[in-house]
Amino acid sequence: TDECVDPRDDPEDCLKKELRQDVMKFGYAMEFDARYKKFRYGFHHGLATGDKQAGFGFLDNAQLPRSGAEAGRDPKLTAFKFDRDYHVDLIMFRELIGGVTNATYFKPYFGYDFVQRPKEVWGFKLSSIYAFALEAEGTPGGESPLGLEFDAELYIKKAKKFHWSVAYGLLFPMSAFNLIDDNTVIEPTVAQTIQMVIALEF
């Protein structure tokens, strides 16, 4: 309390001012999906507001609890976070950031089912996603561009029996992921992942 007291103010009023937190968060997701015979295509887009305070993403940023002095320096809580089960990619949001927050993304995709039966589908899907941060100060590099990712998936689905898929992701991280250390900028390298899923339904 002593750090924030103005001799002209009542100590209780000063402390209440420092503890004040305004919560204003916003997010949305939109999905457009279409099919023409064996072809599938669509466009997905989403946005989640961010915050300028230190910390990045889901795994490195807890907004509460905070002390009165810290709350006074940043009186607004504005980081909206998507449910982590809402997957939009393989690497950038799912693995590095932990989920969609402080970002907007644009994801077109294309797919083809070369075996298409009432209860069985074999096919593949290609997608790309570009994202940038809404609050550049909330990223390690202090910049907005997050990255460009390309994903490919091959799958076999049998209704109420079996599901198999293998996916490959390739991420080109951008300046938001830069690490600034003693005025030295360390740029991240390309990230890759291969993931396979086998599921039995019963």
Side-chain angles (χ1 to χ4, degrees), residues 23 52 74 96 175:
V23 181
K52 297 179 181 180
D74 183 15
L96 299 184
S175 54

Side-chain angles (χ1 to χ4, degrees), residues 39 42 49 80 150 152:
F39 295 93
T49 54
F80 187 91
F150 298 95

Side-chain angles (χ1 to χ4, degrees), residues 1-7 11 14-15:
T1 305
D2 294 340
E3 294 179 0
C4 69
V5 168
D6 186 318
C14 179
L15 185 59

Side-chain angles (χ1 to χ4, degrees), residues 10 33 53 77 90 97 107 117 119 133-134 157:
D10 184 294
D33 302 292
Q53 66 175 303
L77 303 179
L90 294 176
I97 300 176
K107 177 185 176 181
R117 298 169 184 162
K119 293 186 177 182
L134 300 179
K157 300 178 182 179

Side-chain angles (χ1 to χ4, degrees), residues 129-143:
I129 181 169
Y130 170 74
F132 63 88
L134 300 179
E135 296 285 354
E137 295 179 35
T139 68
E143 301 285 347

Side-chain angles (χ1 to χ4, degrees), residues 16-42:
K16 289 179 181 177
K17 184 193 305 181
E18 295 302 312
L19 288 173
R20 177 184 174 89
Q21 297 279 267
D22 294 322
V23 181
M24 186 171 59
K25 307 178 181 184
F26 176 74
Y28 67 82
M30 298 187 299
E31 299 183 1
F32 168 75
D33 302 292
R35 177 184 294 274
Y36 177 73
K37 296 182 179 180
K38 293 186 177 183
F39 295 93
R40 298 183 300 112
Y41 57 94

Side-chain angles (χ1 to χ4, degrees), residues 128-199:
S128 64
I129 181 169
Y130 170 74
F132 63 88
L134 300 179
E135 296 285 354
E137 295 179 35
T139 68
E143 301 285 347
S144 289
L146 289 167
L148 177 64
E149 180 174 333
F150 298 95
D151 299 327
E153 180 184 19
L154 181 67
Y155 55 83
I156 300 172
K157 300 178 182 179
K158 292 189 177 183
K160 298 182 180 180
K161 289 185 179 181
F162 175 77
H163 172 85
W164 172 88
S165 69
V166 60
Y168 170 74
L170 177 65
L171 170 65
F172 297 92
M174 296 182 179
S175 54
F177 286 100
N178 288 348
L179 177 62
I180 302 176
D181 185 20
D182 295 330
N183 296 323
T184 300
V185 177
I186 302 174
E187 298 182 355
T189 58
V190 173
Q192 303 179 68
T193 184
I194 298 178
Q195 303 177 13
M196 184 170 67
V197 174
I198 300 175

